[in-house]
Amino acid sequence: MTRITVAKKTKSKLKKPKRFQVLLLNDDYTEMDFVVEVLRRFFAKSKEQANAIMLKVHLDGEGVSGVYSHDVAQTKVQQVIDFARQNEQPLMCIIRQLDDS
Ligand code: TYC
């Protein structure tokens, strides 16, 4: 008798880690240079990257400053809001879960 062995693919039990965008929101009062400083200080962006993201937020209403785990994203939001309020800027920052995560 010939036996046929079929290799059965084991299903991975590892769940994909959820990922969260940190978004900056536009407003009429926060200074552009301040937003660039936030992007450099908390999101490690170059001057050019920070300028491009700041301008995108200014024109589109929102822009992604980074993508992280929930914990890190939440910490970034708190750091940005604390820094903005200390400097009397109304800048707002939120997190959004990525659809594919
Ligand atoms: N709209 C602001 C201005 O004209 C600039 C700005 C950019 C504010 C990005 C917030 O997240 C922001 N001074």
Side-chain angles (χ1 to χ4, degrees):
M1 188 167 90
T2 313
R3 286 182 195 279
I4 300 171
T5 310
V6 180
K8 209 174 170 189
K9 198 176 166 197
T10 53
K11 212 174 182 182
S12 171
K13 294 268 162 57
L14 292 175
K15 279 189 278 173
K16 262 209 295 174
K18 289 185 171 45
R19 296 182 307 144
F20 296 81
Q21 290 177 325
V22 174
L23 300 164
L24 292 179
L25 305 182
N26 189 36
D27 65 72
D28 290 340
Y29 304 103
T30 302
E31 288 159 28
M32 289 183 172
D33 285 350
F34 182 78
V35 178
V36 170
E37 171 61 20
V38 162
L39 286 159
R40 289 175 60 65
R41 183 182 290 235
F42 298 110
F43 301 96
K45 301 299 183 188
S46 68
K47 262 187 201 158
E48 293 73 20
Q49 290 171 324
N51 254 301
I53 296 169
M54 181 281 294
L55 275 179
K56 192 211 173 277
V57 178
H58 178 66
L59 297 173
D60 296 351
E62 65 175 52
V64 179
S65 46
V67 176
Y68 307 95
S69 67
H70 189 267
D71 272 15
V72 175
Q74 197 65 73
T75 300
K76 299 274 178 198
V77 167
Q78 204 53 59
Q79 287 174 332
V80 170
I81 293 177
D82 288 350
F83 185 59
R85 298 303 171 270
Q86 278 160 22
N87 289 278
E88 296 171 335
Q89 302 287 318
L91 179 63
M92 269 311 297
C93 185
I94 61 170
I95 67 177
R96 178 185 293 158
Q97 188 178 338
L98 276 169
D99 282 343
D100 63 351
S101 74

